[in-house]
Amino acid sequence: MYAINKAAVIGAGTMGLGIAGQLANAGVDVVLLDIPATGDNRNAIAERALERLLDESQPGLLHKDFIRRIRIGNIEDDMALLADADWIAEAIVERLDIKKALYKRIDAVRKPGSIVSSNTSSIPISLLVEDMPQAFRAEFAITHFFNPVRFMRLLEIVRGEATRAEVIECLEKFGDEQLGKGIVVCNDTPGFLGNRVGVFASQTALHAAFRMGLQPEEADAVFGRPMGIPKTGVFGLYDLIGIDLMSDVVKSLVATLPASDPFHAVAGEIPLMTRMIEAGLIGNKGGKGGFYQPADPARGISRKTLDFATFTYRDFAVGGRHAGDSVGGHHAVGGRHAGDDTYSWEILASTLSYAASLVPEVNESLVAIDDAMKLGYNWLQGPHEMIDAIGVDNFIARLEKDGRDVPAFIRTAAGKSFYRVHKGRLQYLLADGSYSDLERADGVIRFSERRRTLQAIEENDSASYFDIGDGVGLIEFHSKANALGPASIDLIAAAVAHASDNMRALVIHNDAQHFSCGADLQSILGFIVDKDLAGLDKFLAHYQQTMLAMRYAPIPVVAAPSGLSMGGGFEVLLHTDKVIYHANSVTGLVETLVGVVPGGGGVKEMLYHWSERHGDVTKGAWSAFMNIGYGKTARSPLEAEPLAMFRSGIDNYIMNRDRLLATARREALAMAENYTVRRRGSIAMPGRDVWAEMVEWLKKAHAKGHLTPHDVTTGSQIAMIVAGGDIAAGTELTENDILALERKAFGILGATEETRARIEFMLEHGTPLRN
């Protein structure tokens, strides 16, 4: 009955603009309206908003050309444009009276059978539509997106008492398959689920930090990655969102939550933050700073922290007192444990208990709560998964030891766990103590869940290899940042060998934030520090031959990456038969940023890609030289295509990362039906004269101040590889010949002090050395 082919968004602020951008990314034509501007250009507000979608620092569009799918207007002159919309999304100011007035105007022009929704994060649906006719209420819902809309995976959908089931089904399907969101259907309760738990956790961390006298660095060193929470921590998160906005969110929850809700205990105003808001220190968006002032390397300004005692900014202390000196040594959860650290325990005890107390009154399913925190707040684990990692009985014992209340649902889990594997099925606990199978929508597979039901064929600390059924094997990386070191390559080699004899197809996929951030720099640095260039060459040769074995395996190999696929991680993708990308995948060969060259076959592959695209090896060599030399990256598959990093007609991309595995598995099996290995011949190389031309170009760019001396050194080695070295033009080289040149170049660069310094800087600071 309901289908969404055209859409409209009212409100061109941060959220409305993001929703319009994601609709355009999904291929939907969308009308974007805002209030009229004064002056001759009445659409100036919406027009300026569109410019923000193209912001280089965080673009809202997969490709700049998608902006053509958005038609702008204003709510005085262009309401008639809503008549063709199948879905009208309201994302205006959080004022009930203004929203109600707008809904009456929408209802006057919308077509029968169109869906209307609000992006509100705080106003109950019952209040939003209380003055509207039955026909409107039946086709109204709340669709609560998270910011930034393109990148945040959660979409909360709230059904009102009168909302038709078909409306919710349409929004779920569209949100999942076309917008790429993880859907959580919520009851009409304050804060729904994500903000209900997320703001409680943040407020708990904030108040505990002030109560314990912790500085921002100390608190954020604990309430961050060690707990499986984004590295921003609580103070960084408030700066990111806006201290004033977070204050408003807290006030909204205070006004709508029952007086008995534990949220009120952590909702009190903090005098220092009130002073900050009055002084305009509201975080990143204010320009003056918040708890932190960001670094500005171009101006020689380092990161600063607000000193609570003096209300002035001081130098940022890396790790503060490393938190452990003042907090007792933090411990994480996530297959690990929660320790005796006072600050982290305060956050865990309060937050996990609060989340569990919401079952079943606020939501019947603990999975919905866990999904909301993982997809909306980027937690690695949901609250109930954290309790399982700690151990339910251990958690109860610690709560009781501290004299804390133990929520009824946690009592129900005593002696067992919230999640379990039973007869090969992953199940979750219900409020009545029974278990239910965890079932996702058809085509949605999260390997982090699936792997709990599987036994690895091969595994080590860095990677694992599984049989996922129907003759399909799967390689999963799981090292830190999924960096590829010797153990990772050993696993790939073993998996390819096993799959070649025992499987119909092989898929490479993982459910981590990033597919792979590249080769393990720590391992490479070890060779360099030890001056073991022979060992480095042996490692690279093993890497290269493993990639070749994968490329020429007798079965199809399909990769399904999301997040970052950089350097060595991208080299893995380059050697597969097909790649199913997530739409937000970031790809590139960035080795030059740390003073080396791609050494796992990346230069070879890009030379072939560009030469095939140009139909000319010399032109291909120049394109590969320029792109690898500058370390160019693409922030979507559409940006990757003109860089020869996405193979049109071979590779594909989808919007929802939860559908990557099912899609890759289906494609791999289809290819297996009639698979033949695509072998390459040798390539006639450009030769020494082109190499010399490239080196001369590098010297001129250095003379103009565009390149550093080491850039010239690195670029000269890339030139040597793509030109073929000191050989005559037209000399034929095989893939293995070119791979040998990659290793030679890597060894030359690895022997320099500059490369060592650049790798050490990258490992210490997490960013390339700029000079």
Side-chain angles (χ1 to χ4, degrees), residues 630-750:
Y630 279 116
K632 289 189 177 180
T633 60
R635 290 168 295 186
S636 76
L638 292 166
E639 289 187 2
E641 196 282 331
L643 298 176
M645 295 191 293
F646 178 90
R647 300 166 294 185
S648 296
I650 298 176
D651 299 330
N652 202 354
Y653 75 91
I654 60 175
M655 296 293 285
N656 193 335
R657 63 179 291 169
D658 287 339
R659 294 183 171 274
L660 283 171
L661 179 51
T663 304
R665 183 175 175 274
R666 183 175 65 249
E667 292 285 342
L669 285 171
M671 294 172 68
E673 291 297 320
N674 189 28
Y675 183 72
T676 55
V677 177
R678 295 175 298 146
R679 295 198 175 274
R680 283 178 175 149
S682 57
I683 186 169
M685 303 299 287
R688 62 174 70 90
D689 290 344
V690 172
W691 180 15
E693 290 172 13
M694 291 176 176
V695 171
E696 184 62 24
W697 181 92
L698 290 166
K699 291 177 178 178
K700 289 180 178 179
H702 169 57
K704 295 176 182 177
H706 299 322
L707 299 176
T708 69
H710 197 68
D711 290 336
V712 176
T713 302
T714 305
S716 297
Q717 294 305 311
I718 298 170
M720 183 268 292
I721 301 167
V722 299
D726 189 15
I727 59 175
T731 302
E732 300 271 342
L733 294 186
T734 65
E735 288 187 81
N736 274 310
D737 292 332
I738 302 171
L739 290 173
L741 293 176
E742 284 189 14
R743 298 199 308 277
K744 177 182 178 181
F746 208 112
I748 291 171
L749 294 169

Side-chain angles (χ1 to χ4, degrees), residues 374-448:
K374 290 186 289 185
L375 303 182
Y377 277 76
N378 279 337
W379 288 15
L380 292 182
Q381 292 183 307
H384 300 91
E385 292 172 307
M386 289 185 179
I387 298 176
D388 276 354
I390 294 168
V392 175
D393 291 347
N394 290 336
F395 190 67
I396 291 173
R398 179 67 188 271
L399 291 177
E400 291 178 335
K401 177 184 176 183
D402 290 355
R404 294 174 181 265
D405 291 335
V406 179
F409 189 42
I410 296 180
R411 291 280 188 200
T412 300
K416 39 195 175 183
S417 59
F418 287 109
Y419 293 89
R420 74 174 188 181
V421 175
H422 181 66
K423 295 182 178 180
R425 304 279 295 180
L426 182 60
Q427 298 182 324
Y428 65 96
L429 188 68
L430 302 177
D432 64 6
S434 64
Y435 284 89
S436 177
D437 289 349
L438 199 169
E439 296 180 344
R440 299 289 183 186
D442 185 37
V444 170
I445 303 174
R446 294 182 188 163
F447 191 67
S448 57

Side-chain angles (χ1 to χ4, degrees), residues 602-621:
V603 181
K604 165 184 69 74
E605 285 299 308
M606 294 312 296
L607 176 61
Y608 272 97
H609 282 209
W610 279 112
S611 296
E612 291 164 2
R613 178 168 293 199
H614 289 304
D616 182 290
V617 177
T618 299
K619 289 181 179 178

Side-chain angles (χ1 to χ4, degrees), residues 470-678:
D470 291 332
V472 179
L474 183 141
I475 296 173
E476 177 199 31
F477 305 141
H478 45 69
S479 59
K480 182 179 179 182
N482 286 334
L484 304 178
S488 307
I489 305 307
D490 287 345
L491 189 287
I492 296 173
V496 170
H498 181 275
S500 294
D501 293 334
N502 299 279
M503 297 291 176
R504 298 171 61 198
L506 182 63
V507 169
I508 308 175
H509 170 75
N510 61 71
D511 204 20
Q513 183 178 5
H514 300 300
F515 176 75
S516 173
C517 292
D520 180 13
L521 289 178
Q522 194 69 59
S523 296
I524 292 171
L525 181 63
F527 290 119
I528 292 174
V529 170
D530 293 341
K531 300 186 184 305
D532 183 11
L533 296 183
L536 176 60
D537 187 77
K538 183 178 179 181
F539 166 66
L540 292 175
H542 183 38
Y543 201 136
Q544 293 173 342
Q545 293 307 308
T546 299
M547 295 299 101
L548 274 187
M550 185 170 69
R551 176 174 179 80
Y552 293 120
I555 59 174
V557 180
V558 177
S562 59
L564 300 179
S565 299
M566 308 298 280
F570 185 53
E571 287 177 303
V572 172
L573 303 185
L574 286 170
H575 289 85
T576 61
D577 292 292
K578 189 181 188 72
V579 183
I580 307 296
Y581 289 97
H582 179 233
N584 290 332
S585 294
V586 179
T587 51
L589 295 172
V590 294
E591 286 86 349
T592 57
L593 300 181
V594 290
V596 294
V597 298
V603 181
K604 165 184 69 74
E605 285 299 308
M606 294 312 296
L607 176 61
Y608 272 97
H609 282 209
W610 279 112
S611 296
E612 291 164 2
R613 178 168 293 199
H614 289 304
D616 182 290
V617 177
T618 299
K619 289 181 179 178
W622 272 100
S623 292
F625 166 71
M626 298 299 288
N627 282 274
I628 296 171
Y630 279 116
K632 289 189 177 180
T633 60
R635 290 168 295 186
S636 76
L638 292 166
E639 289 187 2
E641 196 282 331
L643 298 176
M645 295 191 293
F646 178 90
R647 300 166 294 185
S648 296
I650 298 176
D651 299 330
N652 202 354
Y653 75 91
I654 60 175
M655 296 293 285
N656 193 335
R657 63 179 291 169
D658 287 339
R659 294 183 171 274
L660 283 171
L661 179 51
T663 304
R665 183 175 175 274
R666 183 175 65 249
E667 292 285 342
L669 285 171
M671 294 172 68
E673 291 297 320
N674 189 28
Y675 183 72
T676 55
V677 177
R678 295 175 298 146

